[in-house]
Amino acid sequence: MSVDFLKQPVQYIGGIGPNRAKVLAESGIRTVGDLLAMVPRRYLDRSSVSRIQDLHGGSESVTVMGTVIAVGTVPGRRGRKRFEIVVEDEPGRRMKAVWFQGVGWISRVIETGHRLALHGKPVRYGGMMSFSHPDFDRVDEQGPSIDTGRIIALYPGTATLQKAGLTSRAFRKVIYELFKEHGRKLGENLPADLVAREDLLEGRVARRAIHFPKSQDELKRAIYRLKFEELFFFQLLLATSRSHKERIEGMVIGSGGRLETRFREEILPFTLTGAQERALEDIARDMQSGRQMNRLLQGDVGSGKTVVAAIAALKVMDAGYQAAVMAPTEILCEQHYRSLGRMLAPLGVRVGLLTGSTSAAERRELLAAVADGSCQLLVGTHAVIQDGVDFHRLALAVVDEQHRFGVLQRATLFEKGERPHMLLMTATPIPRSLALTLYGDLHVSIMRERPPGRQPITTKMVREKERENVYDMMRQEIAKGRQCYVVYPLVEESEKLDLRDAVSGHEALSAQFPDVQVELVHGRMKAAEKEEAMARFASGTSAILVSTTVIEVGVDVPAATFMLIEHAERFGLSQLHQLRGRIGRGQHASTCILMAEYKQSEESRRRLQAMEETDDGFEISEIDMELRGAGDFFGTQQSGLPAFRIADLLTDQAILDTARDAAFALIQEDPTLVAASHQRMKTWFDAFVRQRGIRLSRIG
Ligand code: ADP
Ligand code: MG
């Protein structure tokens, strides 16, 4: 059964001419398949519409349906016009809607007499309820009317689409045409036994019902079915990828060799936690299996991942191989280089450091040592190691702070033939649903436990007027020989201002604390300067380190017991948690102060409150996702998270679990999808992968 029709350009569907095709293409809709994958953004039925009479201003969004009885463009200050309309739903019950942007085109598409559905947050303004910049849709005479009990689908209403006349009404028409033409070809694309077992609505019915539901119940089942399908196909991709990887051969690495044993018995200054031992058992099992290891080590900040990586590296050295440790920033690399060097030098292991600032001469020498095997452990930034380093016998690659690289980059690490065991580490606990999606093809070890003897961190949000108290607290800590971090945000959009903040903060603190040395570290400094400042702080020469978020990950100074985070309301929750992880690393109780603006959004208040209440990174990550939504969880960092069309990782955890189980079971039974009963699904699955632009070989 061919699904070639999915690739046909939308232009050949009734109601779409070259003009509309062009506009649709701008929104990423080029083929029948794209159009079919589109999901209404909202539905309208009698029960979801509010009466104007019942409105009261509030933070909740509502939908109102009424007839436009007046329109007008009103001149405002500084020549800025606004467009206003008055809408009536019952005789004498009226409200306003106002637009300050897009006045030109909106005033052309809304006319007196139109029936509109308006969606927004109403406020009372000058005695009348009013929407500002509501979503709007024409819901006219022609076509279905909700008064007859119908449920009407509303579509993404970007300005470009609407300007081109692609209103929801037009979309409904286009999709109606699509079904008229291609509906018959939309058979069931999941295996029949799966559909039966999961009690799913049949594929073709679901695809129709999502646009033209006959009842709320049918709509609910259609949404469930399509969410399931989307998550199932994505998990099928991960299952295929994992099954593929599980067949890749790997170097067989044993355990308990000379170096590892000496390290554990003579050098390690503490006993490993249960979580560390368990992670090492997982790693040992993987590396011994004859297959390539692909393991993610997820551990909260301070859970002690570095030593786990060190022991894994010793295992491969014991077997006569080399290891590489990669980190995203030079500071982190330098720190790994120092701490791994300190741990391993007594064993006679040669550790090398390769970053962007390694001089040409050093680099030549080091590369030669890596190539002939005399350098057994190479630490370096990602880009540098990836870029054509020739190893003598590389058997293990550790990638620290994996989340900073993103899924797609992780794939291209070693494509040149070297197939080392991969140990990915991340200190950012992420919600389970995201982990299953981003790392669903990997084996995962989680370390929730922290090393014993850790002191608690007290976290408190304070206001500017309490600054003097905060400085007093810092003085007391410093008097006891402790050290303090003062952190400023660094947001790309306002980089210059932020930098100025940190620089003037450094001056102010130097004046406040004349007896001690105050360091400044920020991203614009040269690597060498940064390193010197960090080293002075790490050795205890300076008592205060002022920095932008460059210290976010990995820095380890046990005597630092105090952290002041300036403009705390501007940080994301996970980022705040990472920062806080820099303190509470020694034997002393620590304090984290969040200095925040008096006025804040509800969301930032809840973020800071969460910081006060818990320091469990996994709990924090779930709250963070709730506040930001799954898509924004990683902020502006490229996360590699696929864009789901209908599923939502925040709310669809249960569907994800079911879909994942089903997908992995299916791949176990039929790893390369050759069974006759899977062929139809396979064509859809291939189309899914193609359409989403995900290349299998690039995952993992
Ligand atoms: P992270 O997981 O954040 O990378 P690190 O590896 O930097 O954590 O470890 C944090 C600190 O805890 C380091 O100072 C390390 O020496 C110490 N540490 C690690 N494991 C243990 C342990 N089992 N017992 C005591 N201290 C430990
Ligand atoms: Mg670390």
Side-chain angles (χ1 to χ4, degrees), residues 305-306 336 400-401 554:
K305 293 182 293 296
T306 315
H336 276 314
D400 196 16
E401 309 302 346

Side-chain angles (χ1 to χ4, degrees), residues 302 305-306 332 335-336 400-401 425 427 553-555 582 585:
K305 293 182 293 296
T306 315
L332 257 186
Q335 183 175 304
H336 276 314
D400 196 16
E401 309 302 346
M425 308 202 294
V553 284
V555 184
R582 300 302 109 216
R585 298 184 149 239

Side-chain angles (χ1 to χ4, degrees), residues 387-657:
D387 216 24
V389 174
D390 259 330
F391 286 88
H392 179 56
R393 299 174 83 193
L394 181 68
L396 171 68
V398 178
V399 183
D400 196 16
E401 309 302 346
Q402 147 70 29
H403 64 285
R404 298 204 138 199
F405 295 123
V407 164
L408 294 185
Q409 280 165 296
R410 125 163 91 99
T412 49
L413 268 181
F414 293 99
E415 276 185 343
K416 288 186 312 244
E418 244 139 4
R419 270 296 185 177
H421 293 296
M422 298 292 298
L423 179 63
L424 312 172
M425 308 202 294
T426 170
T428 309
I430 59 175
R432 216 177 73 83
S433 61
L434 292 190
L436 288 183
T437 305
L438 277 175
Y439 308 122
D441 56 336
L442 300 174
H443 297 276
V444 180
S445 302
I446 294 181
M447 304 204 298
R448 287 196 85 135
E449 193 182 339
R450 294 196 195 159
R454 285 286 159 80
Q455 295 297 313
I457 303 174
T458 310
T459 302
K460 204 170 167 313
M461 183 179 82
V462 307
R463 308 289 186 202
E464 188 58 44
K465 63 175 194 277
E466 293 164 81
R467 184 173 288 280
E468 280 308 315
N469 291 344
V470 174
Y471 287 160
D472 283 341
M473 292 161 83
M474 286 171 66
R475 269 185 207 100
Q476 284 167 26
E477 288 299 299
I478 292 169
K480 286 187 267 182
R482 315 278 159 68
Q483 293 166 274
C484 308
Y485 291 107
V486 178
V487 186
Y488 282 86
L490 186 63
V491 186
E492 255 165 68
E493 305 90 71
S494 56
E495 203 181 325
K496 274 208 181 112
L497 275 179
D498 284 341
L499 216 52
R500 207 188 58 200
D501 270 7
V503 170
S504 60
H506 173 250
E507 277 166 23
L509 282 159
S510 302
Q512 278 279 339
F513 296 84
D515 311 330
V516 303
Q517 200 165 323
V518 184
E519 298 296 340
L520 174 65
V521 170
H522 59 72
R524 285 289 182 82
M525 284 163 63
K526 289 215 184 70
E529 288 172 342
K530 262 190 283 193
E531 164 154 31
E532 282 161 25
M534 289 297 307
R536 282 193 297 273
F537 186 70
S539 67
T541 310
S542 27
I544 302 176
L545 177 69
V546 179
S547 81
T548 52
T549 44
V550 289
I551 60 155
E552 184 185 334
V553 284
V555 184
D556 190 26
V557 181
T561 53
F562 192 94
M563 177 173 283
L564 166 59
I565 302 181
E566 300 279 0
H567 302 293
E569 75 282 352
R570 286 169 54 187
F571 289 88
L573 186 48
S574 293
Q575 206 184 7
L576 286 170
H577 177 68
Q578 288 292 316
L579 284 169
R580 182 172 56 181
R582 300 302 109 216
I583 56 173
R585 298 184 149 239
Q587 324 86 351
H588 305 290
S590 295
T591 308
C592 177
I593 297 293
L594 308 170
M595 183 71 76
E597 294 290 324
Y598 193 70
K599 274 182 87 161
Q600 326 166 357
S601 68
E602 171 68 13
E603 194 194 309
S604 78
R605 202 185 53 73
R606 281 178 61 198
R607 276 202 301 265
L608 301 182
Q609 195 183 345
M611 283 292 289
E612 288 182 330
E613 283 165 5
T614 176
D615 76 340
D616 179 314
F618 289 88
E619 211 174 301
I620 285 201
S621 75
E622 299 283 347
I623 302 175
D624 198 13
M625 179 162 87
E626 241 165 69
L627 290 175
R628 289 203 269 173
D632 288 333
F633 181 78
F634 292 95
T636 51
Q637 282 168 25
Q638 183 237 348
S639 68
L641 198 64
F644 290 109
R645 301 252 163 86
I646 180 164
D648 179 348
L649 293 177
L650 182 58
T651 50
D652 299 332
Q653 174 81 59
I655 311 179
L656 171 63
D657 283 333

Side-chain angles (χ1 to χ4, degrees), residues 245-254 283-293 419 421:
K245 275 193 271 206
E246 280 171 347
R247 276 174 277 136
I248 295 174
E249 282 187 22
M251 293 150 254
V252 178
I253 308 289
I283 292 167
R285 203 179 335 101
D286 289 353
M287 294 203 300
Q288 214 155 12
S289 68
R291 306 281 162 211
Q292 185 197 25
M293 169 167 78
R419 270 296 185 177
H421 293 296

Side-chain angles (χ1 to χ4, degrees), residues 270-273 276 300-306 451 454 556 585:
F270 40 71
T271 355
L272 295 180
T273 63
Q276 285 170 321
D300 210 342
V301 263
S303 57
K305 293 182 293 296
T306 315
R454 285 286 159 80
D556 190 26
R585 298 184 149 239

Side-chain angles (χ1 to χ4, degrees), residues 166-180:
L166 277 161
T167 58
S168 283
R169 195 169 58 139
F171 262 118
R172 282 193 297 275
K173 178 90 173 41
V174 163
I175 289 181
Y176 181 81
E177 294 292 332
L178 186 158
F179 274 93
K180 218 164 67 182

Side-chain angles (χ1 to χ4, degrees), residues 253-357:
I253 308 289
S255 282
R258 193 181 58 87
L259 291 170
E260 182 186 352
T261 308
R262 270 193 63 203
F263 180 74
R264 281 174 178 267
E265 288 173 359
E266 296 166 27
I267 295 175
L268 197 62
F270 40 71
T271 355
L272 295 180
T273 63
Q276 285 170 321
E277 289 289 7
R278 279 190 297 279
L280 278 165
E281 278 164 28
D282 291 342
I283 292 167
R285 203 179 335 101
D286 289 353
M287 294 203 300
Q288 214 155 12
S289 68
R291 306 281 162 211
Q292 185 197 25
M293 169 167 78
N294 275 284
R295 183 164 292 279
L296 176 74
L297 179 58
Q298 236 199 316
D300 210 342
V301 263
S303 57
K305 293 182 293 296
T306 315
V307 65
V308 172
I311 294 177
L314 288 171
K315 286 181 200 288
V316 308
M317 290 174 211
D318 270 327
Y321 292 96
Q322 295 164 294
V325 173
M326 291 174 255
T329 65
E330 293 202 359
I331 287 193
L332 257 186
C333 287
E334 282 146 15
Q335 183 175 304
H336 276 314
Y337 172 66
R338 269 197 306 274
S339 62
L340 290 168
R342 211 180 315 123
M343 284 190 241
L344 305 185
L347 298 170
V349 170
R350 172 157 180 208
V351 182
L353 174 66
L354 189 61
T355 70
S357 11

